[in-house]
Amino acid sequence: SLDRGDTLIFFTDGVTEARDADGRPVGTAGLLAAVEHVKHEGPQEIADHLADLAQAGDGGQRDDIAVLVLCRSGE
């Protein structure tokens, strides 16, 4: 169950296997750092940020990139 204010993020491995703008693999650590950076944003902004991160590389991305963010409202 999700408590008020909780956020759940689903993503495909194409996100963590992508390369960032510097050519380094995003990996789990990069994904967590990116989430930390936008964790107080809304679900669309979080999803957009993660998708942008995964597509920031040299265009050689060959795997699927999908992100789904669910936020339970604090009300």
Side-chain angles (χ1 to χ4, degrees):
S1 67
L2 293 176
D3 292 328
R4 289 184 177 135
D6 283 353
T7 299
L8 186 61
I9 301 172
F10 296 93
F11 58 93
T12 58
D13 64 345
V15 176
T16 53
E17 292 175 358
R19 297 201 174 267
D20 66 15
D22 296 324
R24 295 180 305 236
V26 171
T28 303
L31 177 72
L32 291 173
V35 169
E36 185 66 28
H37 183 68
V38 294
K39 67 182 180 183
H40 297 296
E41 300 292 331
Q44 185 66 56
E45 291 79 14
I46 294 171
D48 289 346
H49 183 72
L50 297 179
D52 289 346
L53 172 71
Q55 296 176 26
D58 64 2
Q61 178 65 20
R62 291 185 175 87
D63 201 354
D64 62 308
I65 296 172
V67 178
L68 172 66
V69 181
L70 302 173
C71 297
R72 179 161 178 205
S73 135
E75 300 174 11

